[in-house]
Amino acid sequence: MKRLVALIAVVLLAISARAEIRIGVAAPFTGTQAKIGTDMLQGAEMAVAEWNARGGIRGETIVLIQGDDEASPKQAPVVARDLIGKKIVGVIGHFNSGCTIPASEIYDEAQVVMITPASTNPLVTDRGYRGVFRVCGRDDQQGTVAAKFALETLKAKRIAILHDKTTYGQGLADEFRKYLEKNGVKPVYYAGVPASELDFRAIISSIKKAEPDLWYFGGIYDQGGPLLKQAKQAGLTAPLMSGDGLIDTALLQTAGPAAEGTLLTFGPDPAKKPTAKKFLDAYRAKYGPHGPYAIYGYDAANILLQAIEKTGSTKYQALADYLHNTEFQTAMGPLRFDQKGDITDTYYVMWVVKDGKFVLYEDAK
């Protein structure tokens, strides 16, 4: 009898193990960028909860497995291998391009598809990995939009550039610089600062001496807040322009009034998308105000889960083929991937900090 009970227990355990579809979510969940990783995770959790409430996929429960890459390019491959060892069938993440690029090599080797909600460096998709996708734009697009706006709308002539020396920050700053120089404008200042640095007084002094009418920062909000605050204290009055790495309420909390007038490139306003209302209402009820990347974590998870359901497979080739050849109806609207894994539609618009809030530049006018 004991042997029979033990056998039944083993069978039930095996059935239970088969009745799960494991999805990895990789992002920084500790450290100064933990908020944005948590936003992504909560967006993915919303998607998974909705699928499970409908019975999962083919009766199998969807389970999210977290991987904390600490925003570290060295830690990201470790996380990738750990997630693969836990039998995930796909990954939502990573956040930082510097993490996504090395981690994607691990996923590709293991034949696991990944969809990043946030990594914008061109190399993420330019290396030809068929199972790598993103639901955001690219920095060669973002840098061009920002530089064109600086020259044509702001009529800036003297532009300083600073970056955080990361794959994302320097890559974005270089794309911005590339468009300026292509159009005959050479930056009056160009430098990098380590991503861990929080004392910018000497750098700000050098930027101020260059007398810019606009300065640009390629980096993340955890540095952007102190940077803006110290710039105001030093009397640097030129407006700051930056990219999607700064657009988070953590920036406003840290910088306070010093953030006023800061310009940022990011995607369209979800609040203006009828397709996003259901998500935004549900997210607000469960978690409170949404972070900027929560909806992208939600869309990325839904896309991956739809691919699994429609193909009836968790195999790399089947999922990659489906993802490349399907139009998805997402919270941010219709989305289609090109053969690189990039979204096919234009993406970036200009935002500005006004009255302590992020608003579309057009609305602020």
Side-chain angles (χ1 to χ4, degrees):
M1 186 65 176
K2 288 182 180 179
R3 290 181 62 188
L4 178 60
V5 171
L7 181 59
I8 291 172
V10 169
V11 171
L12 290 174
L13 184 62
I15 291 171
S16 175
R18 288 198 303 269
E20 281 187 357
I21 295 174
R22 297 185 176 190
I23 305 295
V25 180
F29 297 121
T30 56
T32 57
Q33 295 177 31
K35 180 189 176 298
I36 213 153
T38 300
D39 291 340
M40 281 173 45
L41 173 64
Q42 290 175 168
E45 285 177 341
M46 291 286 295
V48 167
E50 291 171 2
W51 280 80
N52 282 336
R54 298 194 297 266
I57 297 176
R58 301 186 304 275
E60 294 182 89
T61 301
I62 302 150
V63 176
L64 286 181
I65 309 293
Q66 291 177 235
D68 181 10
D69 64 23
E70 303 171 10
S72 165
K74 291 183 179 179
Q75 181 65 15
V78 176
V79 167
R81 292 187 184 94
D82 181 64
L83 290 174
I84 290 164
K86 291 175 178 175
K87 308 300 181 185
I88 53 145
V89 300
V91 179
I92 307 304
H94 295 226
F95 169 66
N96 307 82
S97 292
C99 292
T100 296
I101 290 171
S104 64
E105 296 172 0
I106 308 298
Y107 299 131
D108 180 73
E109 184 179 354
Q111 298 284 276
V112 171
V113 298
M114 60 156 288
I115 306 175
T116 171
S119 294
T120 50
N121 188 279
L123 279 176
V124 170
T125 51
D126 279 357
R127 292 163 302 150
Y129 294 149
R130 188 159 177 77
V132 174
F133 302 84
R134 57 176 144 211
V135 294
C136 55
R138 294 166 52 106
D139 285 334
D140 45 2
Q141 300 165 343
Q142 180 171 201
T144 296
V145 167
K148 188 174 182 181
F149 187 91
L151 297 179
E152 297 180 7
T153 302
L154 302 181
K155 309 297 182 185
K157 303 294 183 185
R158 298 180 60 81
I159 302 174
I161 300 175
L162 180 67
H163 61 76
D164 65 1
K165 295 186 177 181
T166 67
T167 302
Y168 163 72
Q170 184 169 355
L172 178 57
D174 285 346
E175 293 294 346
F176 179 81
R177 180 185 189 181
K178 191 185 301 182
Y179 186 89
L180 294 184
E181 293 181 343
K182 182 181 175 182
N183 287 272
V185 176
K186 184 176 180 181
V188 296
Y189 178 91
Y190 178 91
V193 60
S196 58
E197 183 61 69
L198 294 175
D199 183 352
F200 303 102
R201 289 173 294 181
I203 287 171
I204 290 168
S205 177
S206 297
I207 293 174
K208 191 176 176 183
K209 287 176 184 176
E211 299 181 340
D213 44 29
L214 176 75
W215 57 305
Y216 188 87
F217 175 58
I220 306 293
Y221 63 81
D222 55 341
Q223 279 188 305
L227 182 64
L228 282 164
K229 204 165 188 177
Q230 291 169 39
K232 187 173 180 64
Q233 291 168 351
L236 178 57
T237 57
L240 176 70
M241 180 182 285
S242 189
D244 52 353
L246 256 65
I247 192 160
D248 192 277
T249 52
L251 176 84
L252 306 178
Q253 292 163 4
T254 305
E260 197 72 9
T262 298
L263 297 150
L264 309 109
T265 44
F266 192 50
D269 185 356
K272 294 181 179 292
K273 299 261 185 190
T275 50
K277 186 179 187 307
K278 181 181 176 182
F279 165 78
L280 294 175
D281 289 347
Y283 189 95
R284 194 177 298 112
K286 186 170 185 178
Y287 297 113
H290 71 97
Y293 283 101
I295 197 166
Y296 294 98
Y298 176 78
D299 280 348
N302 271 317
I303 288 168
L304 178 57
L305 293 171
Q306 180 182 322
I308 294 169
E309 180 191 49
K310 295 298 185 183
T311 61
S313 175
T314 56
K315 300 298 184 183
Y316 176 87
Q317 196 61 51
L319 295 177
D321 287 348
Y322 184 84
L323 290 167
H324 278 293
N325 294 291
T326 305
E327 180 172 281
F328 297 90
Q329 303 305 316
T330 76
M332 286 298 290
L335 179 150
R336 181 178 285 277
F337 297 110
D338 65 18
Q339 289 308 302
K340 282 186 176 183
D342 292 317
I343 57 175
T344 55
D345 288 341
T346 55
Y347 178 79
Y348 292 102
V349 293
M350 189 62 67
W351 292 68
V352 64
V353 178
K354 183 177 182 182
D355 300 328
K357 297 179 180 178
F358 295 111
V359 298
L360 291 173
Y361 183 83
E362 287 298 320
D363 291 348
K365 288 198 300 181

